[in-house]
Amino acid sequence: MSPLGLVLRLAGLVLLVWLVVQPTAFAGLLALFTRPGQPSVYNQGSLLALTISHLLIVASAIAASALLAVGLAIFVTRPFGVDFLPVSRALANIGQTFPPVAVLALCVPLLGFGTTPTLVALFLYGLLPIFENSLAGLSSVPPPVTEAAKGMGMKPMQRLIGVELPLSMPLMLAGLRLSTTIALSTAAIGSTVAAPTLGEVIIAGLQTGNTAFVVQGGVIVALLAVLIHEGFVALERSQRRRIGL
Amino acid sequence: MMTILQTANSASFVRRRLDPLGVVVTAVAVAGLFLPFVIFKANRIVPGEGVPLWAALPVWAAIAALVGLGSVLVIAMLRVRGELKLAASGAGLLAVVLLIGLAADTMSPQDDSLARIGIGAGSWLLILALALMLTDALSRLDPGPWTRIGSLAFAMVVFGAILGSGTLNELSILKEYGSRAPAFWQETRRHLELAFGSVLLATGIGVPVGIACHRFSAMRSGVLNLLNIVQTIPSIALFGILIAPLAWIAANVPGARTIGISGIGMAPAMVALTAYALLPVVANTLVGLTGLATTTVEAARGMGMTSGQRLWHVELPLAMPVILTGIRIILVQNIGLSTIAALIGGGGLGVFVFQGAGQTAIDLVLLGAAPTVALAFAAAVLLGSFIDLSAERART
């Protein structure tokens, strides 16, 4: 990472923490976007609490999708699951044509308003990128490598844990990064169905025609997503170095 | 000789093993049979009560449905030819759709215009099971591009005919449509304008930028990093952040308002969608051009082609499959993302999705979501076929 890149990322992190912990420090700047009589700093709840609940919703949904998706990818790449490989590939492709918002909106009439439909939608939509990338990772392990592991007398389980999973880790992380990016975005929209996330700030701004709220919420959500994305990229790089790529 | 051998082999296969996917399909379908086939609601918002298949249909239809479904499931469970599975699952799907329409007709009370018949969880599971079987058969047959385009057109004609025939008119989702048909078509048009307009803009900007990145390696990492960051920004945040500068432009730049630029509405949506779409176009143009064999480009140079001629007649046509792959990604992505435009007053099918979610009216959500998914799916199939066709042309 270049020194400039590092400085920019650190500056982004400082700005994010500052915006969330001490929003009033930006009152003067945000006042530029208000109409007379409008408050310039979000005043309908704690930004810190919204940020934490946004992150918790995303983390728990994505953890669940990662468990199931990686498990499924392992299953269809084993000899006993190979019959399900073509259909699961095709399903992963078709699933991507479903917009995340549609999944979210369809969960509401079935599960009611609040956090539950958002969690379910994030979980369902998070499955696809992780599954697709894990599948790509597991099926791109070179046959000579698995043969060598077999020759060394490793059992199938040992080969999976000791060879195949570590080699496909960078691609799995890439899938996790994609799913998390989409989940952060969809969770923000989840506030339209009453999930306590940072989207609330933006929606409140849109409903009252207060651009200051929209900008404030938008910048926080954007910084959060970009920084988490960068974190994943760094993690992938270190994993790739570990397996000698 | 060969065919006799194959037949004998496949016959012993059937005896030896069942199709494991078929077993899953059957399990899902049987579970679907025991869940409500349709939902009867006193009005469009109340939860309503489920009605199983045999109670929702006339006796003759229920018996025919069970027998038909049974035979489709037997075909699903056996290891038989892909074409047979394809035909069986296709016929099964068609039958389920027609049966839903028949159930809605049968259940609708004559004198109660408020009552609604919705699609039940059981129907969705039956459709899911049969669609799984269809997808599996299709992906094993691995049809060529023209067959895929033909099948898509065929499916659209059949579904259009069903909708046109009025068979499904008693269904709640079509009643939602009936009460807002002009708005539906207006928002569909707006949705298409947003999705295709942004893709056109992004292609017009992205391909030249990609070519420039290929020629001048100094700007490569800067441009790609910037676009990468843009793509990471959550949609609602980007749409929102753009409201401020666009409102400023509308207020301060003469003539901006007359060409439709304003803080809320279509302008920020179009800008945001275009920004999202730039990364795949630029990156794929770059990859496509970089991936060309140097010998090909050298040969063109040796023939005395100028730089512009080489780009136009050699490099771009050869890179076309990769560039088209980028365009397919953004088209599918932006058809979905255009639903968010509704939140900032940009219109599109998202209007129904968010209205429906607000009223917990699932059929209104479906009225927005189903066409969006169908559009994205059709775009993915069509562009996927074009990519294969252009790859064939690039090879010859």
Side-chain angles (χ1 to χ4, degrees), chain B:
Chain B
M1 184 62 202
M2 196 54 206
T3 46
I4 299 173
L5 215 71
Q6 273 172 345
T7 324
N9 264 340
S10 71
S12 70
F13 231 115
V14 170
R15 250 175 274 129
R16 263 213 327 272
R17 277 182 68 185
L18 293 171
D19 183 342
L21 181 81
V23 177
V24 174
V25 166
T26 307
V28 174
V30 170
L33 276 182
F34 287 97
L35 287 168
F37 189 65
V38 288
I39 312 263
F40 181 84
K41 300 186 240 188
N43 63 55
R44 60 189 281 269
I45 291 166
V46 295
E49 65 188 271
V51 184
L53 183 134
W54 42 86
L57 292 169
V59 180
W60 63 268
I63 293 172
L66 290 176
V67 171
L69 185 69
S71 31
V72 172
L73 292 180
V74 168
I75 294 174
M77 284 204 283
L78 296 176
R79 286 193 186 272
V80 291
R81 293 175 61 91
E83 287 87 347
L84 183 58
K85 290 199 183 223
L86 184 65
S89 52
L93 274 175
L94 182 65
V96 171
V97 173
L98 293 176
L99 286 172
I100 292 173
L102 181 60
D105 270 346
T106 318
M107 301 280 304
S108 280
Q110 293 294 323
D111 47 353
D112 184 358
S113 61
L114 282 178
R116 292 297 184 98
I117 311 292
I119 304 171
S123 308
W124 288 122
L125 279 188
L126 284 176
I127 290 173
L128 173 73
L130 293 167
L132 260 177
M133 183 177 164
L134 184 91
T135 312
D136 183 56
L138 263 180
S139 60
R140 280 169 201 273
L141 289 172
D142 194 18
W146 286 116
T147 319
R148 297 209 296 274
I149 297 176
S151 320
L152 178 69
F154 178 70
M156 279 164 61
V157 168
V158 170
F159 196 64
I162 293 177
L163 283 180
S165 71
T167 320
L168 299 179
N169 277 2
E170 287 301 321
L171 213 56
S172 184
I173 175 170
L174 281 164
K175 291 202 167 165
E176 296 284 356
Y177 165 76
S179 59
R180 43 177 78 72
F184 176 81
W185 290 110
Q186 188 194 324
E187 301 300 356
T188 305
R189 228 189 78 195
R190 172 59 69 86
H191 201 94
L192 291 173
E193 280 168 11
L194 282 170
F196 284 91
S198 60
V199 166
L200 272 181
L201 276 173
T203 310
I205 302 168
V207 172
V209 172
I211 294 171
C213 282
H214 176 58
R215 295 281 147 108
F216 313 106
S217 52
M219 62 186 281
R220 207 172 288 172
S221 70
V223 169
L224 288 181
N225 275 337
L226 179 71
L227 292 180
N228 216 331
I229 290 176
V230 170
Q231 238 199 4
T232 312
I233 299 176
S235 46
I236 188 174
L238 187 61
F239 281 57
I241 291 172
L242 284 167
I243 289 178
L246 285 167
W248 187 87
I249 292 175
N252 294 293
V253 176
R257 204 171 273 280
T258 47
I259 59 165
I261 292 178
S262 70
I264 56 163
M266 210 171 159
M270 192 65 105
V271 177
L273 289 171
T274 309
Y276 275 128
L278 277 176
L279 179 69
V281 179
V282 174
N284 278 41
T285 307
L286 182 61
V287 168
L289 291 175
T290 320
L292 294 181
T294 36
T295 45
T296 319
V297 184
E298 285 307 313
R301 199 196 299 261
M303 284 167 68
M305 284 179 148
T306 64
S307 162
Q309 283 174 326
R310 281 205 307 275
L311 182 68
W312 196 246
H313 293 291
V314 180
E315 296 177 80
L316 278 183
L318 285 177
M320 198 44 82
V322 187
I323 299 177
L324 277 177
T325 307
I327 295 178
R328 185 195 63 170
I329 294 171
I330 60 171
L331 190 58
V332 172
Q333 174 189 297
N334 278 10
I335 289 175
L337 271 176
S338 297
T339 39
I340 317 276
L343 285 180
I344 54 166
L349 289 164
V351 170
F352 305 121
V353 173
F354 288 112
Q355 262 179 25
Q359 305 170 355
T360 63
I362 195 163
D363 296 296
L364 187 51
V365 176
L366 278 175
L367 184 64
T372 311
V373 172
L375 277 172
F377 182 71
V381 171
L382 274 183
L383 275 167
S385 308
F386 290 156
I387 291 166
D388 286 0
L389 289 173
S390 79
E392 271 169 30
R393 259 188 56 189
R395 268 200 300 278
T396 51

Side-chain angles (χ1 to χ4, degrees), chain A residues 60-211:
Chain A
S60 39
I62 292 299
S65 347
L67 271 180
L68 183 59
V70 172
L72 280 177
I74 291 175
F75 172 68
V76 298
T77 49
R78 301 306 102 184
F80 49 84
V82 80
D83 278 310
F84 293 90
L85 187 58
V87 74
S88 52
R89 275 228 168 92
L91 276 185
N93 274 330
I94 296 173
Q96 319 269 28
T97 59
F98 280 69
V101 195
V103 182
L104 179 69
L106 288 176
C107 285
V108 174
L110 303 173
L111 302 164
F113 285 98
T115 314
T116 323
T118 312
L119 273 174
V120 172
L122 294 188
F123 163 72
L124 286 177
Y125 208 82
L127 289 171
L128 294 169
I130 304 178
F131 175 75
E132 213 182 10
N133 278 275
S134 308
L135 193 59
L138 286 169
S139 37
S140 69
V141 175
V145 175
T146 32
E147 285 305 314
K150 220 180 277 180
M152 284 166 65
M154 289 173 106
K155 303 230 158 39
M157 200 54 171
Q158 288 175 315
R159 286 205 299 274
L160 175 67
I161 293 173
V163 180
E164 294 175 58
L165 282 179
L167 281 179
S168 34
M169 194 51 83
L171 269 173
M172 284 186 185
L173 281 173
L176 206 57
R177 165 169 55 88
L178 275 174
S179 288
T180 310
T181 307
I182 298 172
L184 282 165
S185 170
T186 313
I189 298 164
S191 60
T192 55
V193 300
T197 70
L198 285 166
E200 252 179 55
V201 185
I202 304 173
I203 300 289
L206 290 172
Q207 278 168 350
T208 55
N210 184 341
T211 313

